[in-house]
Amino acid sequence: MTTFDDSLVPLLGKKTADALETGLGLTTVGDLLRHYPRRYDERGKLTEISGLELGEHVTVQARVKSARLKNMRARRGEMLDAIITDGTSELHLVFFGRGSRKVERDLLPNTKAMFAGKVSVFNGKLQLAHPDYEIIDGLGENADDEAAGPVGTSAASKFADAFIPVYPAAQGIQSWNVAKCVEQVLAVWDGVEEDPLPADLRESEDLITLEKALRDIHRPDGWPAVTVAQQRLKWDEALAVQLALAQRRHSATARPAAACPRVPGRVADAFDARLPFKLTSGQQAVGDRIAEDLSTTQPMNRLLQGEVGSGKTMVALRAMLQVVDAGRQSAMLAPTEVLAAQHARSLRELLGDLGQAGELGGAEHATRVTLLTGSMPTAQRKKALLEIMTGEAGIVVGTHALIQDKVAFADLGLVVVDEQHRFGVEQRAALSARPGDAVPHVLVMTATPIPRTVAMTVYGDLEVSALRELPGGRSPIKTSVVPTAEKPQWLDRAWQRIHEEVRKGHQVYVVCPRIGDGEEDETKPPKEDKKSTGDPDKRPPLAVVDVANRLAAGPLKGLRIDILHGRLAPDDKDAVMRAFAANEVQVLVATTVVEVGVNVPNATVMVIMDADRFGVSQLHQLRGRVGRGSAPGLCLLVSEMPGASATMQRLRAVESTLDGFELAQLDLELRREGDILGAAQSGTRSGLKMLSLLRDEDTIEAARAVAQEIVDRDPNLTAHPGLATLLAGVLDEDRADYLEKA
């Protein structure tokens, strides 16, 4: 009997099984059957080439437009240069070596084939270097031969019907190889012994059995069969995630929190009375809701999302002061030392004498803001630890150093996690899981707006609040793409523009993907195959040190330039930021350490070098560092990518809108949702293989309601062994641990 847990080795042979494991991480029958087709190509329907992404391993069905041999000048031998088309866009292919003549005989004009390889760029054009291919129909000498193409099996004999399943593939294991393996396994698989979904649920939601869904998803007899199979498999994934989150919500009530009701006439009221501006309606409404949460023993677990500059820090500070007034401490966790120091400095400035407890001139009932980072000098660190332990520090700001065992809080009532996406879940969980009778309330903040379906799925155990309104005084920001491959003169104009802004007294950020001081960088570019001709990584990503030196000696000569990155000593980082804030530095060349929290209202220009190497949300975050004062901001996205590439289209999307919520939805779509059930965010392998956070909101919402009802009656799923098995199958140990900690 062949079951889900059986190894693929005896079924497919060691060589094939090893290739599946190495390339795709598939080792069992269940792994392979849950490796679903990415899409289905209909025979004769060509793949849209314009949607291909640089660096992506793709499988495309296209028609050969031309193929011709060339002699290679740099080395002996021949090279075949071919062009394939979908009728509107073209993709270049290049083949090297002695096999080029055979390829030329296969890829005659008008031949239709499937091609698989990694998309690179050469001379500004997208290409596949030495791709695998399979002839579907055409005039080549092997068009009807079982040995067509270098992979050795013809697509014509393998795919007898009109549907061609296209599977996620990898180097050494192509889509058609996966299809053949699936066919062999389905032939001997004995099916599912017991369906994990209860029969009444399948009936109420009109779902087919798991066995039929798995067979139909791989070998459908038409589009209706695909749709029905997908809906069942989406339900499996949605319900598994929502069961895990419902269990998380259930367990969150096991330990109470310390109630921190408002105390009139103390620091919070004094701070509100001094505010030189009026809170936005959103800040007021969210603040009131948080105040209610803090007043109860039900642990607050709230996600506060808002646009860059929407005033989240003000909301957090008012919440922290409420906790301080109740006699407890608040901790703010920041992802970098630069941001932690910036927060501590900003909070002290906002509080004034209200944050000077124990100091001459400190206000009545004042508190103290204490900074703690991992690389502070020993004497400063000991002083900070003592202030935290005695409770003298009402507000503690720090990096992950705050969650070390040596840090003992007197009475921690609230944890504020800033820019939650920059932390590992283990770090975020450590503060809220500290020993004691009560747990602290938790407020998680992000300037990266989160689509509703992601909030329901990834942050399903959190209440979600949003700030969409920007406070008064924010200036408009204009964004422009600088396509240096097509219009190199535009970059010259960018440097001229910087001189113009500096002459007006303003300042500029120039952001690069890496540091470039010879050590391993804090921001790594995507790994690329160096053997591919035309690989964009032939030029490494631009580096802070190199760019700063070139600018100082060239286009920005005469301006005061300094650098900032994560490996500078804390005192050096702080000194650079202070100098920049004081306009002693006119151009700051930095890595993404300036992405969040850095507030210099006089900075008006953000130049992002190699902008194609950053995500949509990251670009939006960086853009938010300018336009924070009275003068308008300018963001320049510099890239060498071809104008027709999907990467350049992504940059154009950032150029076209300042709406972070719209961009967040776009980012989710472009990243293919990543692995939302674990720490990986590569976008290449997702813990959710069928469920789409973009398109399946109704399914997610329905599964959430069903999961909550089940867990309310049966928290440990004792009476639902099938669902417990489903949960374990979709959520492996690492992903379950991730959701538990998140």
Side-chain angles (χ1 to χ4, degrees), residues 467-679:
L467 292 175
R468 290 178 175 267
E469 182 182 357
L470 295 181
R474 292 297 301 238
S475 299
I477 304 172
K478 176 178 174 54
T479 305
S480 294
V481 173
V482 180
T484 55
E486 300 168 7
K487 299 180 179 178
Q489 68 275 15
W490 283 26
L491 186 58
D492 296 333
R493 174 60 188 138
W495 305 132
Q496 293 171 12
R497 183 62 191 273
I498 287 176
H499 279 285
E500 294 168 6
E501 288 296 311
V502 170
R503 281 197 292 270
K504 295 176 185 177
H506 298 310
Q507 293 159 272
V508 177
Y509 298 99
V510 177
V511 172
C512 304
R514 66 187 185 104
I515 299 171
D517 57 2
E519 299 181 34
E520 184 179 353
D521 282 325
E522 60 191 38
T523 307
K524 294 182 180 179
K527 290 184 178 179
E528 300 285 350
D529 179 7
K530 301 292 181 181
K531 296 179 181 179
S532 297
T533 295
D535 194 307
D537 268 7
K538 277 189 167 182
R539 176 183 72 69
L542 293 172
V544 166
V545 175
D546 300 334
V547 169
N549 289 336
R550 287 205 298 269
L551 292 178
L556 300 187
K557 187 175 182 179
L559 302 186
R560 297 190 298 274
I561 300 174
D562 209 337
I563 65 173
L564 180 69
H565 55 73
R567 283 207 302 272
L568 289 176
D571 288 347
D572 292 338
K573 293 179 198 170
D574 196 53
V576 171
M577 281 311 305
R578 286 180 181 275
F580 191 61
N583 203 0
E584 295 168 7
V585 172
Q586 296 167 320
V587 179
L588 183 63
V589 185
T591 58
T592 54
V593 293
V594 300
E595 177 187 348
V596 291
V598 175
N599 184 26
V600 179
N602 192 49
T604 56
V605 181
M606 167 66 70
V607 181
I608 305 175
M609 308 300 294
D610 281 348
D612 48 275
R613 295 178 181 270
F614 299 90
V616 168
S617 293
Q618 198 169 33
L619 292 172
H620 184 57
Q621 287 265 23
L622 289 166
R623 174 169 58 185
R625 297 308 104 205
V626 297
R628 304 177 76 87
S630 58
L634 174 64
C635 179
L636 301 176
L637 308 177
V638 182
S639 174
E640 295 180 350
M641 289 298 102
S645 66
T647 302
M648 184 57 77
Q649 292 171 22
R650 173 166 56 88
L651 298 182
R652 293 293 182 189
V654 177
E655 179 185 52
S656 68
T657 181
L658 291 171
D659 187 331
F661 287 86
E662 181 182 334
L663 288 174
Q665 193 77 8
L666 172 69
D667 195 27
L668 176 63
E669 184 173 357
L670 290 172
R671 287 191 299 108
R672 294 183 180 170
E673 303 166 27
D675 189 345
I676 68 159
L677 303 185

Side-chain angles (χ1 to χ4, degrees), residues 187-463:
V188 297
W189 180 49
D190 292 298
V192 178
E193 188 172 343
E194 182 180 355
D195 199 300
L197 291 193
D200 58 344
L201 177 59
R202 296 201 307 271
E203 183 177 354
S204 65
E205 298 297 332
D206 195 22
L207 301 172
I208 61 175
T209 64
L210 178 58
E211 179 175 346
K212 181 168 177 54
L214 288 174
R215 293 190 184 278
D216 284 356
I217 201 69
H218 293 291
R219 291 293 176 267
D221 57 11
W223 286 115
V226 172
T227 301
V228 172
Q230 287 178 339
Q231 186 60 17
R232 164 57 204 261
L233 298 173
K234 288 175 181 179
W235 253 95
D236 281 13
E237 294 179 358
L239 188 58
V241 173
Q242 295 304 330
L243 284 170
L245 291 169
Q247 289 178 328
R248 175 77 178 101
R249 289 192 294 271
H250 187 272
S251 65
T253 61
R255 290 169 62 192
C260 300
R262 281 174 166 157
V263 180
R266 296 181 72 89
V267 182
D269 281 353
F271 177 74
D272 282 352
R274 295 183 183 187
L275 281 178
F277 52 83
K278 184 179 179 181
L279 296 172
T280 67
S281 58
Q283 286 175 314
Q284 190 66 58
V286 172
D288 289 345
R289 182 64 189 272
I290 291 173
E292 293 175 13
D293 291 346
L294 294 174
S295 300
T296 72
T297 57
Q298 175 81 25
M300 177 180 75
N301 285 282
R302 183 168 293 277
L303 171 67
L304 175 59
Q305 58 174 327
E307 283 284 12
V308 176
S310 60
K312 297 181 297 299
T313 302
M314 180 59 65
V315 172
L317 176 56
R318 295 179 72 237
M320 290 190 286
L321 292 179
Q322 177 174 329
V323 171
V324 168
D325 284 345
R328 295 184 171 84
Q329 295 167 291
S330 297
M332 176 176 272
L333 199 60
T336 66
E337 291 191 346
V338 169
L339 184 53
Q342 172 90 19
H343 274 318
R345 190 159 49 244
S346 298
L347 295 180
R348 291 183 185 125
E349 291 172 356
L350 287 168
L351 289 170
D353 60 353
L354 294 174
Q356 296 173 0
E359 300 178 31
L360 187 64
E364 186 181 7
H365 308 307
T367 187
R368 174 171 293 183
V369 178
T370 294
L371 174 67
L372 180 69
T373 60
S375 51
M376 292 175 70
T378 303
Q380 290 183 26
R381 181 174 175 77
K382 285 183 177 179
K383 182 175 181 293
L385 289 171
L386 183 62
E387 291 174 355
I388 296 169
M389 183 176 64
T390 61
E392 188 178 348
I395 297 176
V396 183
V397 183
T399 58
H400 64 279
L402 282 184
I403 61 178
Q404 294 177 355
D405 293 337
K406 294 178 181 178
V407 182
F409 286 84
D411 190 353
L412 183 60
L414 170 65
V415 176
V416 178
V417 182
D418 191 27
E419 295 307 329
Q420 56 77 30
H421 67 286
R422 299 285 294 271
F423 282 94
V425 288
E426 293 80 4
Q427 295 172 333
R428 297 203 301 270
L431 266 176
S432 59
R434 300 179 80 86
D437 295 331
V439 297
H441 297 282
V442 177
L443 176 64
V444 175
M445 301 195 301
T446 178
T448 304
I450 300 168
R452 181 171 179 269
T453 47
V454 180
M456 280 196 298
T457 308
V458 185
Y459 304 103
D461 57 334
L462 301 179
E463 296 294 327

